[in-house]
């Protein structure tokens, strides 16, 4: 998987940045992303790895079929359930509807 970097602008968009990344590079990548954010750039992160994101993001927006279901800090969302992942499932459902539609 090729990885490219550029001097960050005011907004950095990352789409699934840690897919297929080994643990050492993943830790380095999150460290660099945090530095970019701390230096004042906005970082938009698209990921399906909720547990990984929970520890590194400042704010979460949950989208489902183009609709915003939630926009809060991970801690605020986790207060609504026992974890951010559980809050996500509570908002979007557990996937049984999609499985039933596919059958």
């Amino acid at each position: 998987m090729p990885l490219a970097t550029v001097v960050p602008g005011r907004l950095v968009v990352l789409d699934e940045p840690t897919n297929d990344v080994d643990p050492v590079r993943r830790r380095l990548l999150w460290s660099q992303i945090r530095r970019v954010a701390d230096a004042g750039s906005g970082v938009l992160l698209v990921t399906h790895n909720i547990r990984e994101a929970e520890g590194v993001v400042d704010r979460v927006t949950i989208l489902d079929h183009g609709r915003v279901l939630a926009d809060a800090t991970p801690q605020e969302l986790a207060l609504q359930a026992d974890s951010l992942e559980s809050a996500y499932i509570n908002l979007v459902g557990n996937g049984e509807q999609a499985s039933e539609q596919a059958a």
Side-chain angles (χ1 to χ4, degrees):
M1 172 178 138
L3 181 65
T5 60
V6 295
V7 175
R10 293 181 62 188
L11 177 64
V12 177
V13 179
L14 300 169
D15 185 17
E16 302 282 353
T18 59
N19 276 4
D20 301 321
V21 175
D22 67 77
V24 172
R25 286 185 177 84
R26 177 176 284 121
R27 184 175 288 179
L28 176 63
L29 182 60
W30 284 126
S31 172
Q32 293 302 314
I33 291 168
R34 181 80 261 165
R35 280 191 195 156
V36 167
D38 289 345
S41 293
V43 178
L44 174 63
L45 171 67
V46 178
T47 186
H48 290 91
N49 191 331
I50 297 169
R51 290 186 181 165
E52 186 175 74
E54 185 172 19
V56 297
V57 300
D58 297 322
R59 191 152 197 89
V60 174
T61 301
I62 296 175
L63 302 171
D64 186 41
H65 294 92
R67 292 183 10 248
V68 175
L69 301 182
D71 181 37
T73 67
Q75 296 80 14
E76 290 167 340
L77 286 172
L79 287 175
Q80 299 171 18
D82 61 343
S83 68
L84 181 58
E85 184 173 86
S86 293
Y88 174 85
I89 291 170
N90 291 344
L91 288 165
V92 301
N94 61 11
E96 288 178 7
Q97 298 85 0
S99 295
E100 290 170 5
Q101 290 173 357

